[in-house]
mmCIF file of all heavy atoms in Angstrom:
data_model
loop_
_atom_site.group_PDB
_atom_site.id
_atom_site.type_symbol
_atom_site.label_atom_id
_atom_site.label_comp_id
_atom_site.label_asym_id
_atom_site.label_seq_id
_atom_site.Cartn_x
_atom_site.Cartn_y
_atom_site.Cartn_z
ATOM 1 N N GLY A 773 54.322 199.082 -37.124
ATOM 2 C CA GLY A 773 53.266 199.809 -36.228
ATOM 3 C C GLY A 773 54.058 200.852 -35.368
ATOM 4 O O GLY A 773 55.275 200.973 -35.517
ATOM 5 N N GLY A 774 53.344 201.479 -34.509
ATOM 6 C CA GLY A 774 53.936 202.429 -33.678
ATOM 7 C C GLY A 774 54.009 203.806 -34.264
ATOM 8 O O GLY A 774 54.014 203.968 -35.512
ATOM 9 N N GLY A 775 54.240 204.878 -33.434
ATOM 10 C CA GLY A 775 54.458 206.185 -33.951
ATOM 11 C C GLY A 775 53.281 206.639 -34.729
ATOM 12 O O GLY A 775 52.131 206.318 -34.565
ATOM 13 N N SER A 776 53.578 207.435 -35.851
ATOM 14 C CA SER A 776 52.560 208.027 -36.656
ATOM 15 C C SER A 776 51.932 207.054 -37.619
ATOM 16 O O SER A 776 50.779 207.226 -38.201
ATOM 17 C CB SER A 776 53.135 209.128 -37.532
ATOM 18 O OG SER A 776 54.230 208.594 -38.424
ATOM 19 N N ASP A 777 52.591 205.747 -37.756
ATOM 20 C CA ASP A 777 51.991 204.708 -38.589
ATOM 21 C C ASP A 777 50.864 204.051 -37.889
ATOM 22 O O ASP A 777 49.982 203.319 -38.575
ATOM 23 C CB ASP A 777 53.082 203.791 -38.955
ATOM 24 C CG ASP A 777 53.940 204.299 -40.111
ATOM 25 O OD1 ASP A 777 53.653 205.214 -40.699
ATOM 26 O OD2 ASP A 777 54.993 203.616 -40.265
ATOM 27 N N GLY A 778 50.679 204.177 -36.684
ATOM 28 C CA GLY A 778 49.555 203.406 -36.079
ATOM 29 C C GLY A 778 49.860 203.020 -34.570
ATOM 30 O O GLY A 778 50.924 203.539 -34.018
ATOM 31 N N GLY A 779 49.089 202.276 -34.031
ATOM 32 C CA GLY A 779 49.211 201.814 -32.620
ATOM 33 C C GLY A 779 50.211 200.751 -32.497
ATOM 34 O O GLY A 779 50.962 200.371 -33.446
ATOM 35 N N PRO A 780 50.270 200.093 -31.351
ATOM 36 C CA PRO A 780 51.178 199.005 -31.135
ATOM 37 C C PRO A 780 50.975 197.847 -31.982
ATOM 38 O O PRO A 780 49.859 197.613 -32.500
ATOM 39 C CB PRO A 780 50.886 198.675 -29.674
ATOM 40 C CG PRO A 780 50.325 199.852 -29.019
ATOM 41 C CD PRO A 780 49.502 200.441 -30.151
ATOM 42 N N ALA A 781 52.068 197.108 -32.342
ATOM 43 C CA ALA A 781 51.986 195.963 -33.204
ATOM 44 C C ALA A 781 51.592 194.644 -32.478
ATOM 45 O O ALA A 781 51.919 194.655 -31.201
ATOM 46 C CB ALA A 781 53.242 195.797 -33.961
ATOM 47 N N ALA A 782 50.964 193.743 -33.101
ATOM 48 C CA ALA A 782 50.719 192.408 -32.457
ATOM 49 C C ALA A 782 50.830 191.426 -33.541
ATOM 50 O O ALA A 782 50.675 191.672 -34.659
ATOM 51 C CB ALA A 782 49.252 192.487 -31.854
ATOM 52 N N ALA A 783 51.166 190.178 -33.102
ATOM 53 C CA ALA A 783 51.429 189.113 -34.130
ATOM 54 C C ALA A 783 50.890 187.789 -33.417
ATOM 55 O O ALA A 783 51.035 187.560 -32.323
ATOM 56 C CB ALA A 783 52.864 189.052 -34.519
ATOM 57 N N TRP A 784 50.492 186.924 -34.318
ATOM 58 C CA TRP A 784 50.211 185.482 -33.884
ATOM 59 C C TRP A 784 50.885 184.484 -34.870
ATOM 60 O O TRP A 784 50.901 184.757 -36.212
ATOM 61 C CB TRP A 784 48.603 185.294 -34.067
ATOM 62 C CG TRP A 784 47.880 186.016 -32.910
ATOM 63 C CD1 TRP A 784 47.248 185.576 -31.798
ATOM 64 C CD2 TRP A 784 47.549 187.439 -33.098
ATOM 65 N NE1 TRP A 784 46.669 186.537 -31.147
ATOM 66 C CE2 TRP A 784 46.801 187.655 -31.808
ATOM 67 C CE3 TRP A 784 47.750 188.502 -33.910
ATOM 68 C CZ2 TRP A 784 46.285 188.888 -31.441
ATOM 69 C CZ3 TRP A 784 47.302 189.718 -33.598
ATOM 70 C CH2 TRP A 784 46.473 189.881 -32.387
#
Side-chain angles (χ1 to χ4, degrees):
S776 60
D777 281 346
W784 288 259

